[in-house]
Amino acid sequence: MDYAKMRAIAEELEVYAEQLEGAWSVEIGPSGPVLAMTRLPKRHAGTVCRIRRQLDEQLLSTHPGYICAGGPEIEHPAIGRMRLPDAVVIPEAVLDEEGLAVDATQVLAVVEIVSPSNPNNDYIEKLADYPAMGIAHYMIVDPRTGTIEVHSDPCKGRYTRKDPYIYGDSVQFGPWTVATSEFRRYGRAGE
């Protein structure tokens, strides 16, 4: 199925999701459009907030005009993928453009916080999609285990470098440093 058809289905799913109770997200992965309920612990949001705040401070000097945003979809129609990262480093100006998604070629980095219920999405599917989209830096933060992986140097559709960290480390993420001493692990049953 071509990307335009998949995108149209995804948009129909988004309209449908607005009528449902709870929070839902739509992405286009290797199997096509996917509608998933998103019920995330507060610690997930807390981690995203801490990362965004740190990156925004550093972006002022490393990449003026860029921000670390939460929420915008990113897409790469040529490979038929659309993803909704927890945080994305993009030019702030793209948020004023028409449309639903940010072109992946404008994305410097993405961050995903592993959900308790679907870790394979971040460790397998998105780890394949983000380098194929040409995104230079991908950080996976896992509150289940207190670990962090930074992937970089995309080549031929995969990342060639992986740097592991644990909570408490200063994480080198591209030209930025993320302090993780205030990150919190999930409690019992992903709380």
Side-chain angles (χ1 to χ4, degrees):
M1 180 181 309
D2 74 359
Y3 185 75
K5 288 180 183 174
M6 287 192 290
R7 184 68 174 144
I9 292 169
E11 289 175 18
E12 288 176 22
L13 286 172
E14 287 170 348
V15 170
Y16 175 72
E18 290 174 7
Q19 301 167 27
L20 301 173
E21 286 188 34
W24 295 82
S25 68
V26 177
E27 295 183 318
I28 300 174
S31 304
V34 176
L35 174 65
M37 184 173 198
T38 54
R39 186 169 172 241
L40 300 170
K42 293 182 286 186
R43 290 186 174 174
H44 183 281
T47 303
V48 172
C49 181
R50 288 177 179 96
I51 292 168
R52 288 183 56 202
R53 187 176 22 216
Q54 291 182 56
L55 291 179
D56 277 339
E57 283 180 19
Q58 296 171 63
L59 285 164
L60 291 171
S61 59
T62 65
H63 295 82
Y66 279 73
I67 61 167
C68 184
E73 299 167 347
I74 58 174
E75 69 179 346
H76 195 299
I79 64 167
R81 297 291 186 275
M82 179 189 72
R83 291 296 185 177
L84 181 62
D86 291 314
V88 58
V89 177
I90 55 175
E92 186 171 13
V94 303
L95 296 177
D96 292 327
E97 297 173 355
E98 289 288 332
L100 298 173
V102 174
D103 186 316
T105 61
Q106 296 180 298
V107 176
L108 295 182
V110 292
V111 178
E112 295 287 1
I113 313 304
V114 176
S115 71
S117 61
N118 190 10
N120 286 346
N121 193 35
D122 299 318
Y123 282 113
I124 297 172
E125 293 178 19
K126 291 182 180 182
L127 187 56
D129 288 347
Y130 290 146
M133 293 172 133
I135 298 169
H137 307 285
Y138 174 33
M139 179 166 45
I140 304 171
V141 179
D142 195 337
R144 300 168 316 141
T145 59
T147 59
I148 299 144
E149 292 181 3
V150 174
H151 298 269
S152 57
D153 301 334
C155 180
K156 296 182 181 177
R158 67 180 197 86
Y159 289 113
T160 61
R161 182 173 176 161
K162 173 183 158 186
D163 296 304
Y165 297 91
I166 59 170
Y167 279 25
D169 288 346
S170 288
V171 173
Q172 192 63 44
F173 182 45
W176 316 289
T177 302
V178 177
T180 65
S181 60
E182 293 184 13
F183 288 12
R184 301 290 175 254
R185 292 182 64 178
Y186 294 142
R188 291 173 285 113
E191 300 172 346

